Amino acid sequence: MQQAKVIIEANTGTNPLLAIVLAIAIAAAMVTVTTLNFLNSGAYTTVKQIQIGIQTTDAVNQSDLDIISPINAADIDKYVTTLEQRLNTSDNYEDFGPEAVSDTALGL
Amino acid sequence: MLKRLLLLAAVSSLLIGACPVLAADSDTTESRLQQAVIDYQLVLSGDQRMNLLARCPTAQAKLVRIQQNTNFLIEERVSLYTEIQQELQAIKLRMIRQGADASETDLLTGKIQQGLEDVSALADDYKLALDDVIGVDCAKQPEYFQAGLMVMRLKRAALLDTLTQLNATICDDQLFEQLKDRLVI
């Protein structure tokens, strides 16, 4: 091994161990960069969204929601009414409207 | 040997430089606000500067309260939309048991998911803009505060717009009418 190292050094002027260490360091740096890039990319977001979608279906099966009893048009009507009420409970305009951050509101 | 090391360093820096996402994430409050000042071509008069210097701390304190409330408000909505998705899935399963086609529920669930993603992304942008405007040193850089305020208002408006659209999508009567038709037949 030592003899081979000497021969390589003699022929190329390069220390093979140094070359290997450098190659490993560069590979590690590239893996790190790629991983960070993926974690910050839209692809990772999409993967998380798909997971959420799967969890949604699983959650329905595991939740207390009724998934068995017969359903009719009146049930849908009733659901739509409660849906609108629940959505209106949170006032988007009050919570995210421009008034709260206007110059007047901020005292500017 | 030194030449080779320099070459390796150059190649490595090229590889890292080719990652635009990472480069974007290295943005700082300073650079974002500086860019906003340029984008809005913001120039403050002497009076405006004095006014901001005097009133900025109060405004930032009020913005901190808004910031503290924002996480709760966003989580509340995300939780509600997720619940609705689950309820739609439950309706679908009940309809399927009766042999009725409930594919519209999948469509609405998908639309809600898309809306949720948009809301999450816009909420992150809005929170970042709030962080910027709260964190800026008004005494040193009143222009940055003013520019940050303008950016934050835009992000907030975009978030409101998306939430309003999502609610309108969920309350789409036509879709539920189709479901009812399927159940009547």
Side-chain angles (χ1 to χ4, degrees), chain B residues 19-81:
Chain B
C19 301
V21 176
L22 281 182
D25 273 3
S26 68
D27 276 356
T28 59
T29 297
E30 173 95 13
S31 63
R32 281 192 295 273
L33 293 178
Q34 193 174 29
Q35 189 58 47
V37 170
I38 294 166
D39 290 345
Y40 291 118
Q41 298 178 335
L42 199 65
V43 180
L44 296 178
S45 67
D47 285 349
Q48 286 174 320
R49 185 178 286 268
M50 292 301 290
N51 183 45
L52 277 182
L53 286 175
R55 300 180 179 183
C56 174
T58 313
Q60 282 181 320
K62 288 180 180 175
L63 287 169
V64 167
R65 282 200 291 278
I66 289 172
Q67 184 189 39
Q68 286 165 348
N69 207 20
T70 297
N71 280 337
F72 167 74
L73 293 173
I74 296 294
E75 278 171 22
E76 186 186 54
R77 278 161 177 82
V78 169
S79 171
L80 174 62
Y81 295 135

Side-chain angles (χ1 to χ4, degrees), chain B residues 40-174:
Chain B
Y40 291 118
Q41 298 178 335
L42 199 65
V43 180
L44 296 178
S45 67
D47 285 349
Q48 286 174 320
R49 185 178 286 268
M50 292 301 290
N51 183 45
L52 277 182
L53 286 175
R55 300 180 179 183
C56 174
T58 313
Q60 282 181 320
K62 288 180 180 175
L63 287 169
V64 167
R65 282 200 291 278
I66 289 172
Q67 184 189 39
Q68 286 165 348
N69 207 20
T70 297
N71 280 337
F72 167 74
L73 293 173
I74 296 294
E75 278 171 22
E76 186 186 54
R77 278 161 177 82
V78 169
S79 171
L80 174 62
Y81 295 135
T82 307
E83 265 176 38
I84 291 170
Q85 281 183 311
Q86 292 183 3
E87 288 160 5
L88 286 169
Q89 289 297 311
I91 288 174
K92 184 180 88 173
L93 292 172
R94 289 169 72 187
M95 287 180 71
I96 287 171
R97 286 178 73 88
Q98 291 172 223
D101 176 11
S103 52
E104 281 83 5
T105 56
D106 283 333
L107 183 65
L108 183 54
T109 304
K111 285 181 180 175
I112 294 172
Q113 187 60 33
Q114 181 62 52
L116 263 173
E117 289 156 17
D118 292 345
V119 166
S120 297
L122 288 167
D124 287 345
D125 286 351
Y126 169 57
K127 285 188 270 187
L128 185 65
L130 263 177
D131 286 345
D132 285 348
V133 77
I134 288 167
V136 71
D137 185 347
C138 293
K140 288 181 184 167
Q141 294 158 322
E143 289 90 356
Y144 282 14
F145 175 77
Q146 187 63 42
L149 209 53
M150 292 163 87
V151 172
M152 182 271 292
R153 284 169 179 159
L154 274 181
K155 305 286 184 191
R156 186 177 163 99
L159 181 58
L160 172 65
D161 190 38
T162 304
L163 284 168
T164 308
Q165 280 178 21
L166 184 52
N167 279 7
T169 303
I170 293 171
C171 293
D172 180 8
D173 287 341
Q174 199 182 351

Side-chain angles (χ1 to χ4, degrees), chain A residues 18 60 62 67 78 96 105 107:
Chain A
L18 181 64
V60 173
Q62 291 163 12
I67 57 169
K78 202 190 297 178
F96 298 104

Side-chain angles (χ1 to χ4, degrees), chain A residues 7 13 88 94 97:
Chain A
I7 291 169
N88 291 332
E94 190 182 318

